[in-house]
Amino acid sequence: MRQMMEVLWVRWFGVVPGYQWGIKKARLPKIGFILDSPGAFGFLDPSLVLRACHLIPAFTKGHTDSLLPHGPSIAWENGSPDDWTAYYVNM
């Protein structure tokens, strides 16, 4: 018997190491994509997904193509490597 199961393929974010944030520091949390490693991508149940979040690119850090260094990827629209290096999480 076949059963359909919906899953979502995700690219994980992580907290930028060493970055200090908070109300007292007047800084938003900063995150970035996990570097290309076995834990950089994963699958999960779509019912567990946060449906909305406001991420602001850290424009001063610029773009990078080093987060997915192994050739073409469906994670890049039109094949252009334009990942932002980091993002701020708006509160």
Side-chain angles (χ1 to χ4, degrees):
M1 180 172 152
R2 295 178 115 182
Q3 182 177 358
M4 183 179 204
M5 179 172 38
E6 293 184 348
V7 295
L8 183 65
W9 184 48
V10 296
R11 186 172 175 197
W12 294 107
F13 285 110
V15 176
V16 172
Y19 181 78
Q20 296 184 2
W21 59 275
I23 303 255
K24 292 181 180 180
K25 298 198 179 298
R27 296 169 112 186
L28 294 171
K30 191 188 293 186
I31 61 173
F33 288 116
I34 294 175
L35 295 176
D36 188 34
S37 71
F41 294 89
F43 291 95
L44 54 88
D45 181 338
S47 70
L48 302 174
V49 175
L50 174 67
R51 301 292 182 200
C53 179
H54 187 204
L55 297 180
I56 306 163
F59 295 109
T60 58
K61 298 294 182 187
H63 288 100
T64 182
D65 62 0
S66 66
L67 299 176
L68 288 175
H70 301 295
S73 170
I74 62 171
W76 290 332
E77 188 174 323
N78 300 323
S80 66
D82 63 348
D83 288 327
W84 289 100
T85 301
Y87 298 84
Y88 294 104
V89 180
N90 199 7
M91 294 194 280

